[in-house]
């Protein structure tokens, strides 16, 4: 695995963000940790949405303050993944979503990027005074469970998400 850096999304990455979104749509992959990127065809609108939700006083009703990052490979400045850090939990996130959501583009799977992204995100969590972080994944997502365990996750339980019939595994990481 090559070195990656977490950076706040900007228009400088507009084309890569479009390509990232299109790759996920083409593969019918889940776009976890992308702050609803699936819903935004136009990057400037998505950037405005994540900027709005990065401030407690302007967060969209029903959501929580969050910080979105692009995981960019240092050697070629390529967008590898996205990771969303939620500063607090609402009822839904406490059950199913957790503090952190992430995804890695399929073309970059199995190279250790998700492990490194989560490790870097946990460093960010420490700076916003989180002491325990909830990270979840579907029971069928064995790769994600391994990423969480690698970063110190301790499974609390499994619960059924009745909206889609998936069993969600809930892991806590103490910082």
């Amino acid at each position: 695995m090559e070195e990656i850096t977490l950076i706040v999304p900007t228009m400088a990455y507009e084309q890569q963000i479009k390509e990232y979104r299109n790759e996920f749509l083409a593969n019918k992959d889940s776009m976890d940790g992308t702050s609803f990127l699936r819903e935004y065809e136009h990057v400037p609108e998505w950037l405005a949405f994540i900027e709005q939700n990065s401030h407690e006083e302007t967060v969209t009703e029903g959501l929580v303050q969050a910080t979105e990052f692009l995981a960019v490979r240092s050697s070629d400045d390529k967008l590898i993944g996205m990771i969303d850090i939620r500063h607090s939990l609402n009822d839904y996130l406490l059950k199913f979503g957790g503090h952190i959501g992430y995804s890695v583009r399929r073309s970059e799977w199995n190279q250790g990027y998700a492990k490194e992204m989560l490790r870097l995100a946990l460093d960010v969590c420490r700076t916003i005074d989180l002491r325990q972080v909830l990270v979840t994944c579907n029971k069928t997502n064995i790769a994600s469970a391994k990423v969480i365990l690698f970063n110190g996750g301790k499974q609390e339980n499994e619960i059924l998400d009745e909206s889609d019939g998936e069993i969600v595994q809930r892991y806590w990481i103490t910082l």
Side-chain angles (χ1 to χ4, degrees):
M1 178 199 70
E2 295 187 47
E3 181 181 334
I4 57 170
T5 306
L6 298 184
I7 61 168
V8 174
T10 66
M11 283 300 290
Y13 286 91
E14 179 180 20
Q15 188 58 41
Q16 289 199 59
I17 292 167
K18 286 179 187 178
E19 291 167 2
Y20 188 88
R21 180 180 183 271
N22 290 339
E23 183 174 332
F24 275 80
L25 293 174
N27 291 322
K28 296 184 171 106
D29 289 331
S30 176
M31 295 176 70
D32 300 318
T34 64
S35 295
F36 302 97
L37 178 60
R38 179 180 297 279
E39 311 301 320
Y40 289 89
E41 288 185 40
H42 304 288
V43 173
E45 293 171 4
W46 179 69
L47 292 173
F49 175 77
I50 62 174
E51 172 63 23
Q52 172 185 326
N53 291 313
S54 70
H55 305 285
E56 189 173 354
E57 57 277 356
T58 58
V59 70
T60 303
E61 186 175 341
L63 300 181
V64 299
Q65 181 183 4
T67 305
E68 182 71 31
F69 291 100
L70 306 178
V72 176
R73 186 166 47 213
S74 300
S75 65
D76 60 2
D77 204 38
K78 182 177 181 182
L79 173 57
I80 300 299
M82 292 191 187
I83 193 159
D84 187 36
I85 300 172
R86 297 142 193 151
H87 298 219
S88 61
L89 299 174
N90 59 23
D91 288 340
Y92 176 82
L93 293 173
L94 181 60
K95 291 178 185 171
F96 304 112
H99 286 97
I100 299 174
Y102 56 87
S103 58
V104 174
R105 63 190 328 152
R106 186 180 289 219
S107 60
E108 300 291 342
W109 282 4
N110 300 314
Q111 297 182 51
Y113 289 119
K115 286 180 182 177
E116 181 64 4
M117 287 167 54
L118 182 54
R119 185 190 72 75
L120 292 169
L122 293 173
D123 287 343
V124 174
C125 290
R126 288 178 183 93
T127 69
I128 58 173
D129 293 328
L130 292 176
R131 297 292 169 240
Q132 274 199 317
V133 175
L134 177 65
V135 187
T136 67
C137 66
N138 288 345
K139 186 173 184 170
T140 56
N141 192 342
I142 295 166
S144 191
K146 288 179 180 180
V147 165
I148 298 166
L149 289 167
F150 180 85
N151 278 283
K154 305 288 184 217
Q155 187 175 349
E156 179 178 59
N157 62 2
E158 296 179 346
I159 55 177
L160 176 67
D161 184 347
E162 294 180 5
S163 70
D164 61 10
E166 292 282 344
I167 295 174
V168 174
Q169 295 180 324
R170 300 173 66 252
Y171 296 86
W172 287 94
I173 300 173
T174 301
L175 303 177

